[in-house]
Amino acid sequence: MLSKEKLNIKSKMRMDVNTLSSEGNFHALGLNYVCSFLERVGFVILEVNSDPDYHYQLLTSINDKSLLIAVRTAHAPEVGTINKSTMEKLVRESEGFDASPYFAGLTVTPLETNDVEVEGQTDGQGFKVIFNGIIAVHKSEKLVSCHT
């Protein structure tokens, strides 16, 4: 795991077709977007895991409550998703952190103009990040599911 200070996500990443063609950069864009959003609304980012295949990416806290968040980013028209196995791992891991499990699914779509606040973009195709918030992941006796 990485502390937020050690995370190698460039906040001034130039977003164009070449930048987002790398899956690592694509995932970093979504992860950075969620981190920025959570910080703006008062969350403290405690730990970041930048591996897009790991079952969670963020350990956060707000008002003395910890959240373990899986972040997935997809190209439009898809929305980032996690499968049942990943949800189960997220729920089990959250118990070890005494945290509530959450999921953030994002969509990245190209635009003529960019409405994502990223500094340093001067040319190339702009992109819009569509993010509808974080979703609680609940465990029932028979299955794990996401609820808004």
Side-chain angles (χ1 to χ4, degrees):
M1 299 317 128
L2 299 172
S3 67
K4 185 177 175 231
E5 292 78 28
K6 294 180 183 175
L7 181 64
N8 190 18
I9 295 179
K10 299 177 182 175
S11 63
K12 295 183 179 184
M13 182 187 304
R14 194 177 121 231
M15 293 192 328
D16 60 25
V17 174
N18 294 328
T19 301
L20 291 182
S21 63
S22 158
E23 284 303 311
N25 285 343
F26 188 72
H27 174 70
L29 170 68
L31 186 54
N32 191 49
Y33 189 91
V34 173
C35 283
S36 295
F37 170 81
L38 293 174
E39 286 178 326
R40 281 194 314 266
V41 296
F43 282 80
V44 175
I45 308 297
L46 302 172
E47 191 173 297
V48 178
N49 182 336
S50 60
D51 180 354
D53 297 321
Y54 201 68
H55 54 279
Y56 77 89
Q57 281 64 50
L58 300 172
L59 175 61
T60 67
S61 69
I62 189 167
N63 300 329
D64 296 324
K65 181 178 179 181
S66 296
L67 284 72
L68 199 63
I69 305 171
V71 178
R72 299 295 186 271
T73 307
H75 293 277
E78 303 298 321
V79 177
T81 61
I82 55 175
N83 60 34
K84 182 178 177 185
S85 171
T86 302
M87 278 194 267
E88 290 170 347
K89 288 178 186 176
L90 178 66
V91 169
R92 280 193 307 271
E93 188 84 13
S94 68
E95 291 168 357
F97 281 103
D98 194 26
S100 300
Y102 279 80
F103 171 69
L106 297 92
T107 302
V108 175
T109 184
L111 290 179
E112 289 181 14
T113 59
N114 183 13
D115 66 352
V116 178
E117 295 178 11
V118 177
E119 296 177 20
Q121 179 181 350
T122 57
D123 58 3
Q125 175 69 52
F127 287 84
K128 177 179 181 178
V129 176
I130 301 169
F131 173 58
N132 292 321
I134 58 175
I135 300 168
V137 177
H138 298 281
K139 181 179 179 183
S140 69
E141 290 181 15
K142 294 188 179 185
L143 63 113
V144 177
S145 59
C146 292
H147 298 283
T148 55

